[in-house]
Each structure stands twice: as structure tokens, then as C-alpha cells.
Amino acid sequence: MLIAVAITCSVFALGIEGKLVVAGVRSFVQLLLLGAILVPVFKINNPLLSFAYICMMLLVAVQEAMARPSYTFPRMLRCVYLSFGGSVGVCGFIGLFLALGVDLDARYAVPLTGMMLGNCLTCISVSLSALLADLKEKSEVVEHYLAFVRHVTGIKQRKNTVER
């Protein structure tokens, strides 16, 4: 399948054949490694092992979300951890434990948590990128609104903390 797509890209001279093949091989290797890790987790089916694997998935998702935005700010890591932990923790508790009654059965908890983390990763990284880009690139509009709020509330001005 991958070879057919690469040949089609070559026929239409898109120039992405190499990247496409590398991405396909990389995905294949990642799925093999993931399967090698998950098979023992599913066979053992220990709640502590499931929780440890979910925590490892959370760490990887947070690092990926931190790498995507063009701009950063101090304490961004803490905010992203709290966003992921809060959203996945609350949704996981309500969805897995209360609604589905899954406990920490590895066959259900790990894939469902992975799906929640994937959705959270997309939402958090897209919203964080858009927010930080607007704060940096449209700073005059933000400063206008902040000046109005400072005038009304009497809050003192802070220095710019968004960095590239």
C-alpha cells in the first residue's frame, strides 16, 4: 500500500516520496514497539502496572504538547500538566470508573485513556498555539484591552512573559 502511494506521488512529481516512505516505516516500527510493550501489560493485567503505563503515556503527551507551540511562557509545563491531568483525570474517572465500571483493567483502561490523551493533545496544543501566537503577534490589541482593564480595576502592569 505504501509503495503504491509512493509510486503515485512520484508519477505526479509531488516530491514527497522519501518523506512518505520514512513516515510509513517509522509508524510501522513504532507500532511494533508499542505492541511489544502492551502485550505484557495486557497479559499481566495488574492495576498498578496499568496506572504506571497510563502515567507514562501522560508524560509523553505533555512533552509532545510542549513541543508543538512556536511560543512559550514561564511555567508553561505546569499549566500543560494540570490541563492534561485535570481533563484526563476527571473524564477518566467519570467515563471509565463511574459510567463503564472498568476499574483499571488494562484491556480497557489503557486504550481508552490513550484515546482521551490523543484528543487532549490535539485540543491543548492547538489552543495553546493559537493563544500564544495571538498574544505575541497581536500584542497591541491585547495591550489595548489590558489597559482598559487596568484603568477600570487599578491592577498594575507586568512585564511581557511570552517568549519565542
Side-chain angles (χ1 to χ4, degrees):
M1 177 70 84
L2 182 62
I3 294 171
V5 174
I7 290 171
T8 305
C9 290
S10 178
V11 168
F12 289 110
L14 297 177
I16 60 170
E17 303 83 23
K19 290 181 182 179
L20 185 68
V21 170
V22 168
V25 170
R26 182 178 163 209
S27 297
F28 179 74
V29 170
Q30 285 177 345
L31 287 173
L32 281 177
L33 291 173
L34 183 63
I37 293 170
L38 283 179
V39 166
V41 171
F42 290 163
K43 283 184 180 179
I44 295 171
N45 199 18
N46 183 338
L48 290 176
L49 184 60
S50 297
F51 184 72
Y53 188 78
I54 289 170
C55 289
M56 193 261 321
M57 289 191 318
L58 177 67
L59 293 174
V60 170
V62 167
Q63 292 304 317
E64 181 63 27
M66 292 286 296
R68 290 185 180 183
S70 301
Y71 301 103
T72 63
F73 62 93
R75 298 183 300 272
M76 183 169 147
L77 182 64
R78 181 186 320 159
C79 292
V80 173
Y81 269 120
L82 289 174
S83 298
F84 268 103
S87 59
V88 172
V90 169
C91 291
F93 178 74
I94 292 172
L96 293 175
F97 302 130
L98 298 181
L100 298 176
V102 167
D103 295 336
L104 275 174
D105 187 356
R107 294 174 299 149
Y108 302 108
V110 170
L112 290 173
T113 305
M115 288 185 259
M116 286 189 285
L117 281 171
N119 289 328
C120 286
L121 173 63
T122 301
C123 293
I124 289 172
S125 61
V126 168
S127 60
L128 193 58
S129 294
L131 174 69
L132 293 177
D134 282 350
L135 286 175
K136 189 66 174 180
E137 296 165 4
K138 298 177 183 176
S139 60
E140 61 278 348
V141 175
V142 174
E143 288 174 9
H144 175 74
Y145 286 123
L146 288 175
F148 176 73
V149 170
R150 278 193 301 270
H151 175 71
V152 171
T153 61
I155 297 173
K156 296 183 180 180
Q157 183 175 1
R158 293 177 63 184
K159 70 175 191 167
N160 184 8
T161 58
V162 176
E163 302 166 356
R164 189 167 192 96

